[in-house]
Amino acid sequence: MSQDEFIKHMESSVDPSSSEQKDQFKAFCKRCSYITLNQDAADDSFVELRKRMESFMEGDETQNRHFYMALPPNVYVAVSEQLRRNCYSEKGDSQIIIEKPFGHDLESSLDLHRKLEPNWKENEIFRIDHYLGKEMVKNILTLRFGNPMFGAVWDCSHIDNVQISMTESIGTEGRGGYFDGVGIVRDVMQNHLMQLLALTTMERPGSFAAEDLRQEKARVLRLVPPLDIKHTMIGQFTKSADGKYPGYKDEDSVPEDSGCATFCASVAYVKNARWEGVPFILKSGKADDTALDESKTEIRIQLKDTTDGMLRDTAHNQLIIRIQPDEAVRLKMNAKLPGLELHTVATELDLTYQQTVSNPDIPEAYESLLLDAFKGDYSDSVSEQELEASWKIFTPLLHHLEGNKDIKPREYAYALPGSAGPEGLEDFVASYQFQTLGSEETVV
């Protein structure tokens, strides 16, 4: 790609419309330069990159450099070594920005950290989990610690169960070959859902400073035992009932005997006084109509039954934090039905951003995270301690599923109206709601 082709490619994505935007874009393009790197060859292209950067910052006393490695994970180490050797700034801060997957199990994640560590310190590695850049995820701590009414009931004495789910209405869309080596557990649950669980369950940090936040998240994740196959259900989507959408194994790049899970529900527990006995039901799946849109993510906190007395047959209070789409916080509660008789009705307090906030300026997740990286704010960067704790939760389950070919995922039809994941899912979830213990039956 030439420099001119690079600029045209950017312009097609930005699409400046007004004359002011066009002038701003032209000024921005003057600060952009395209260079091809060859990580398999000698250091020559990386030396050229350093010279190019120095020409942009000639005369500047401070020269900070951020390297966003949007690359396959198998070249992270080699490229990071060449960047450290040839492009590290001697007049400012240097930083590499990497994105999941950070390994495929505990040992590989630790191995990646060991190989990056000689060249890049922990405070020079920004690990992106794009969910941490989403507006409603950033709102969780404010919701929890900025509202005493929630803090007063945020424990096992009042909360019966918590459901954390991310479902997608689409399948693997031609990426089956890649997905088959990853699966839904690695793709979503070990990272995105674990971050949501940590933010939901962590203790109040000393401040919003990066290290305080990351230490509390790592601390609570260490209190989560490894997931148990007895409390897990896996599934794999087949073609839709009308035959319009292909099944997972219909893709050419997917083996006919693949046992890869495109859906998983599993139950986690946090072993401390605050959360003792509360099941955290984690769910994620592809080709699931419950997503309603391309992707639906929410945290649903269900409170315990009201005390029997003068009010009967009341609905459970629920706090629902909708991450996407249509960012919202909803509180389901009971009220008196208008009239002369005393009857209760379930009602809802609804804070949907698009309806209640005038012209909400909701930045894209990557926009927020990259700005944090440039500012040196690591509060939304995943720490090595969080990664290690998270992989300890999931690695035994992954090895068990992948080491036992007799375990077959339950089939479910590609999303159509009324589809809701594998058969038995509702019973699986219900078995952990409003009672002390879940079923001991293995339900994979």
Side-chain angles (χ1 to χ4, degrees):
M1 184 183 294
S2 68
Q3 176 73 14
D4 289 341
E5 290 172 334
F6 175 59
I7 298 301
K8 288 180 180 179
H9 179 71
M10 286 199 302
E11 189 170 16
S12 66
S13 299
V14 176
D15 190 24
S17 52
S18 68
S19 58
E20 182 181 3
Q21 289 177 337
K22 290 179 180 179
D23 290 341
Q24 291 174 338
F25 182 73
K26 287 180 181 178
F28 174 73
C29 288
K30 291 179 180 179
R31 303 175 64 87
C32 297
S33 181
Y34 184 86
I35 181 172
T36 300
L37 297 177
N38 185 356
Q39 62 95 15
D40 292 324
D43 290 351
D44 295 354
S45 61
F46 286 84
V47 172
E48 176 61 29
L49 173 62
R50 186 194 70 225
K51 292 178 179 178
R52 191 78 61 90
M53 290 187 294
E54 289 174 344
S55 69
F56 274 113
M57 308 185 77
E58 187 174 0
D60 293 350
E61 291 186 9
T62 302
Q63 298 186 9
N64 297 331
R65 295 172 185 171
H66 305 269
F67 303 101
Y68 182 11
M69 302 202 301
L71 301 166
N74 63 321
V75 300
Y76 279 169
V77 174
V79 172
S80 71
E81 289 174 347
Q82 289 169 309
L83 289 172
R84 179 64 178 84
R85 190 163 54 245
N86 299 290
C87 301
Y88 194 85
S89 176
E90 303 298 334
K91 297 181 180 180
D93 297 329
S94 292
Q95 175 194 73
I96 56 172
I97 303 170
I98 59 177
E99 200 163 357
K100 78 168 184 74
F102 310 112
H104 59 270
D105 59 9
L106 176 60
E107 183 52 43
S108 60
S109 178
L110 293 174
D111 184 59
L112 174 61
H113 178 70
R114 285 191 293 265
K115 290 177 178 177
L116 292 176
E117 195 175 31
N119 296 309
W120 300 91
K121 295 176 287 188
E122 177 67 12
N123 64 358
E124 294 176 326
I125 304 173
F126 194 101
R127 300 179 187 87
I128 282 184
D129 181 329
H130 75 274
Y131 260 65
L132 291 176
K134 292 184 178 294
E135 184 64 25
M136 284 307 302
V137 176
K138 286 177 170 287
N139 195 20
I140 292 174
L141 296 185
T142 301
L143 192 69
R144 284 189 58 190
F145 302 123
N147 297 287
M149 63 178 179
F150 292 135
V153 298
W154 214 265
D155 56 37
C156 60
S157 296
H158 300 88
I159 293 175
D160 179 84
N161 69 89
V162 179
Q163 298 179 48
I164 303 176
S165 62
M166 174 187 164
T167 53
E168 295 178 284
S169 63
I170 59 173
T172 47
E173 309 302 306
R175 297 173 62 247
Y178 163 79
F179 190 85
D180 204 66
V182 178
I184 199 68
V185 176
R186 288 188 180 92
D187 194 44
V188 174
M189 299 180 74
Q190 180 272 331
N191 36 72
H192 303 328
L193 297 197
M194 276 297 97
Q195 286 297 320
L196 296 182
L197 184 143
L199 291 168
T200 302
T201 58
M202 63 183 273
E203 296 298 317
R204 179 188 290 271
S207 71
F208 278 114
E211 283 314 301
D212 287 345
L213 285 172
R214 303 200 310 172
Q215 284 175 11
E216 288 299 339
K217 285 198 293 178
R219 184 174 289 118
V220 76
L221 289 176
R222 293 189 189 105
L223 298 174
V224 180
L227 297 182
D228 193 335
I229 189 65
K230 294 179 180 179
H231 305 291
T232 299
M233 168 187 284
I234 61 172
Q236 185 183 92
F237 70 86
T238 59
K239 66 180 179 181
S240 59
D242 61 2
K244 182 178 179 180
Y245 299 101
Y248 176 67
K249 287 191 286 192
D250 292 331
E251 289 200 19
D252 293 338
S253 56
V254 176
E256 292 182 1
D257 61 347
S258 173
C260 178
T262 62
F263 177 93
C264 182
S266 192
V267 180
Y269 291 90
V270 180
K271 296 298 185 178
N272 64 6
R274 179 186 293 275
W275 297 110
E276 187 64 36
V278 176
F280 289 83
I281 305 166
L282 311 173
K283 297 182 294 180
S284 185
K286 289 184 174 293
D288 185 345
D289 186 60
T290 59
L292 301 179
D293 207 320
E294 285 193 1
S295 180
K296 182 179 107 173
T297 306
E298 69 177 24
I299 303 170
R300 184 177 292 261
I301 299 165
Q302 296 187 316
L303 277 73
K304 293 186 174 181
D305 290 323
T306 56
T307 303
D308 285 339
M310 64 177 185
L311 296 177
R312 296 183 180 276
D313 299 323
T314 54
H316 299 100
N317 289 164
Q318 295 187 61
L319 177 65
I320 302 168
I321 304 172
R322 173 68 69 85
I323 308 299
Q324 66 179 28
D326 304 325
E327 295 87 347
V329 179
R330 298 189 178 101
L331 179 62
K332 293 182 177 290
M333 55 188 293
N334 296 296
K336 178 185 174 297
L337 186 68
L340 298 177
E341 302 292 331
L342 178 57
H343 297 293
T344 60
V345 61
T347 186
E348 185 177 89
L349 297 178
D350 185 352
L351 170 60
T352 298
Y353 273 33
Q354 297 292 344
Q355 297 175 4
T356 58
V357 180
S358 178
N359 298 319
D361 183 14
I362 301 178
E364 293 291 334
Y366 282 96
E367 181 182 356
S368 174
L369 290 173
L370 290 175
L371 180 61
D372 285 345
F374 298 155
K375 290 162 58 179
D377 180 358
Y378 280 76
S379 56
D380 288 325
S381 167
V382 180
S383 71
E384 191 274 332
Q385 290 79 13
E386 292 171 69
L387 269 181
E388 181 177 350
S390 180
W391 276 120
K392 284 181 177 179
I393 296 168
F394 282 93
T395 294
L397 175 65
L398 285 166
H399 286 179
H400 184 86
L401 291 173
E402 294 167 350
N404 291 271
K405 300 301 182 183
D406 292 336
I407 298 178
K408 303 295 184 183
R410 298 186 180 194
E411 294 184 345
Y412 63 99
Y414 195 111
L416 286 175
S419 170
E423 183 179 354
L425 177 60
E426 289 186 9
D427 291 338
F428 173 82
V429 173
S431 69
Y432 296 94
Q433 295 175 306
F434 312 111
Q435 56 188 42
T436 304
L437 293 175
S439 169
E440 289 296 320
E441 181 186 1
T442 302
V443 291
V444 296

